[in-house]
Amino acid sequence: MKISVKVKIGARQAGVQKISENSYKVAVKARPEKGRANKEVCEVLAEYFDIAKNRVQITSGHKSVNKIIEIR
């Protein structure tokens, strides 16, 4: 399954908000330094969907706030 994600970095609290069937907003505390924010995005989504972290992968948008995420 592929989903579209808009990321808010530097948030006070990490969380996921469902916008539509395949569109989500994800807030993360981490800053976009050395991939920390991308890693936290994957961790937050894995917790939201109750799956293992290694099943969540960013397919495009590594350096953008708009990302396409594949969930296996």
Side-chain angles (χ1 to χ4, degrees), residues 46 49 55 67 71:
F49 288 110
R55 294 184 59 197
K67 301 179 185 306
I71 297 175

Side-chain angles (χ1 to χ4, degrees), residues 6-69:
K6 180 157 185 169
V7 180
K8 180 177 189 249
I9 57 170
R12 290 181 188 234
Q13 191 171 19
V16 178
Q17 178 184 2
K18 186 173 184 175
I19 304 301
S20 67
E21 186 64 34
N22 289 325
S23 182
Y24 295 82
K25 282 187 182 177
V26 177
V28 294
K29 294 180 183 180
R31 290 283 178 198
E33 299 166 346
K34 299 180 183 176
R36 290 184 185 121
N38 285 338
K39 183 178 177 186
E40 189 174 344
V41 167
C42 292
E43 291 170 356
V44 169
L45 285 170
E47 185 177 322
Y48 178 80
F49 288 110
D50 196 29
I51 57 174
K53 288 182 239 180
N54 64 353
R55 294 184 59 197
V56 179
Q57 181 179 4
I58 299 173
T59 57
S60 70
H62 290 275
K63 294 185 177 183
S64 172
V65 294
N66 297 311
K67 301 179 185 306
I68 303 296
I69 309 282

